[in-house]
Amino acid sequence: GHLYFLNPDFAIIRPMDGHNAAGSGQDYALGSLVTTAKLGLAADRRAELALSAAAEYNWACCAPFTVIEVAA
């Protein structure tokens, strides 16, 4: 499958590296996603780590988080 992101201007973006983040903690989450990309972790675990990184360094992000997997 592919990841698509809907920008606020309604442009549909397909990140070529296969991951994206949005919101106030997006920079921290993206950093986590980049560094865990080649570790062989499951997608849900990578998402949890990215959300945890965002919550650690951005005051506007906090647990609890819910990760939902959607079948293609």
Side-chain angles (χ1 to χ4, degrees), residues 32-59:
S32 176
L33 290 169
V34 167
T35 58
T36 59
K38 297 181 181 176
L39 296 180
L41 301 173
D44 61 338
R45 180 65 183 137
R46 289 183 63 218
E48 290 168 0
L49 290 170
L51 291 166
S52 293
E56 182 72 24
Y57 294 103
N58 186 286
W59 65 270

Side-chain angles (χ1 to χ4, degrees), residues 6-70:
L6 180 62
N7 268 353
D9 66 356
F10 299 105
I12 298 173
I13 307 297
R14 179 176 155 208
M16 299 313 292
D17 56 7
H19 49 261
N20 199 5
S24 59
Q26 72 182 17
D27 293 337
Y28 303 108
L30 278 173
S32 176
L33 290 169
V34 167
T35 58
T36 59
K38 297 181 181 176
L39 296 180
L41 301 173
D44 61 338
R45 180 65 183 137
R46 289 183 63 218
E48 290 168 0
L49 290 170
L51 291 166
S52 293
E56 182 72 24
Y57 294 103
N58 186 286
W59 65 270
C61 301
C62 66
F65 302 111
T66 302
V67 177
I68 299 172
E69 183 176 346
V70 179

